[in-house]
Amino acid sequence: MKVLVAVKRVVDYNVKVRPKADGSDVDTANVKMSINPFCEIAVEEAVRLKEKGVVSEIVVVSMGSKQCQEQIRTALALGADRGILVETDEELQPLGVAKCLKAIVEKEEPQMVIMGKQSIDGDNNQTGQMLGALTGMAQGTFASEVVVEDGSAKVTREIDGGLQTIELKLPAIVTTDLRLNEPRYASLPNIMKAKKKPLDTTTPAELGVDIAPRFKTLKVEPPAERQAGVKVADVAELVEKLKNEAKVI
């Protein structure tokens, strides 16, 4: 069984993001970049399925600049077998990414696609669902548990009302939530081995995909600073401020 895992290069979640001086985008100069945390969970889940003997091959794919090779190599060090980079300097949006993934799915023919439910930069939560629509594959989103057996996958989903368990006929798409697993750290020997694992490079043009942006970012600015709170002497003063100043009661 082959699994395709999508990973995205994003600003590390420990870094405080700042906009550029002209407000055109987020400033990524000299900023630490990492695998999107939800994508890291997807890699871990694929590796665990391989360790159980369910999966025979893990293919990792990423899209973006040449620097995305770093994140692919990290995934290879975590246990993936080979990588694919769709190299482009164009702005990537969910629909364009989904179209590229569709082309790779048609080429690789995986039995399962595992990806993060969303990225921490765009925060769109769209790519997995768009890929499902484009490929016609069954999908289980926001997965907190995945069990694969007898040509199907039972996916426990985190929904507003609690948990929902669905059964998907393979091939299928699974998007990962935070509570699915705890990603491991790559060991030094595995990091060294990852340098020798195969990594193929292609482009959207070679895949026959149009990744032209569908929307434009007009401005990026930090949120307004919170005003300092005030102390009140008693409940009567609190109620008066809530009624006359905040106007919430």
Side-chain angles (χ1 to χ4, degrees):
M1 174 177 168
K2 182 191 293 186
V3 169
L4 183 73
V5 182
V7 299
K8 185 177 183 181
R9 176 184 172 90
V10 299
V11 175
D12 189 88
Y13 69 93
N14 289 309
V15 174
K16 185 177 180 180
V17 177
R18 301 179 185 277
K20 292 181 178 179
D22 60 1
S24 61
D25 205 345
V26 171
D27 188 0
T28 58
N30 301 315
V31 171
K32 181 182 178 182
M33 307 295 283
S34 302
I35 295 179
N36 176 53
F38 290 103
C39 299
E40 205 170 15
I41 292 170
V43 173
E44 174 67 22
E45 190 64 21
V47 173
R48 291 189 184 191
L49 289 172
K50 185 178 180 181
E51 290 173 344
K52 293 177 181 177
V54 175
V55 171
S56 57
E57 184 182 24
I58 302 172
V59 182
V60 175
V61 59
S62 188
M63 298 168 206
S65 65
K66 191 173 183 179
Q67 285 75 18
C68 291
Q69 290 187 20
E70 299 173 14
Q71 281 62 50
I72 294 177
R73 291 294 180 192
T74 299
L76 295 175
L78 292 171
D81 298 295
R82 59 187 175 91
I84 300 173
L85 171 61
V86 182
E87 188 174 344
T88 178
D89 291 323
E90 297 292 326
E91 180 186 358
L92 286 167
Q93 295 179 357
L95 182 58
V97 173
K99 287 181 177 179
C100 289
L101 287 175
K102 176 180 180 286
I104 293 173
V105 165
E106 290 174 346
K107 180 180 178 181
E108 294 289 336
E109 297 183 344
Q111 282 68 55
M112 181 179 289
V113 178
I114 308 178
M115 56 201 304
K117 70 170 184 176
Q118 65 196 79
S119 60
I120 61 172
D121 51 3
D123 225 26
N124 291 303
N125 180 22
Q126 295 175 337
T127 305
Q129 292 88 328
M130 288 179 171
L131 179 61
L134 291 171
T135 60
M137 294 167 65
Q139 60 177 302
T141 55
F142 319 126
S144 61
E145 184 180 358
V146 178
V147 178
V148 180
E149 57 185 5
D150 300 328
S152 65
K154 289 184 179 180
V155 179
T156 300
R157 304 179 61 237
E158 297 199 358
I159 59 176
D160 291 341
L163 299 175
Q164 177 191 49
T165 301
I166 60 175
E167 185 170 349
L168 309 175
K169 184 178 179 181
L170 300 180
I173 299 165
V174 174
T175 69
T176 61
D177 214 327
L178 281 174
R179 280 156 289 279
L180 180 58
N181 60 51
E182 183 73 27
R184 69 192 69 190
Y185 291 98
S187 64
L188 181 58
N190 287 338
I191 292 174
M192 300 305 293
K193 291 177 184 177
K195 295 180 179 180
K196 298 181 179 180
K197 291 184 178 181
L199 196 165
D200 299 324
T201 302
T202 185
T203 64
E206 290 175 354
L207 294 173
V209 175
D210 174 22
I211 61 169
R214 263 52 183 185
F215 57 87
K216 180 180 179 181
T217 301
L218 300 179
K219 188 177 182 182
V220 177
E221 58 184 7
E225 293 186 7
R226 293 182 62 181
Q227 296 181 348
V230 296
K231 291 183 178 181
V232 294
D234 51 35
V235 174
E237 184 182 354
L238 173 61
V239 172
E240 189 274 332
K241 286 185 177 293
L242 290 174
K243 185 176 181 179
N244 299 319
E245 293 183 17
K247 299 186 185 300
V248 295
I249 59 173

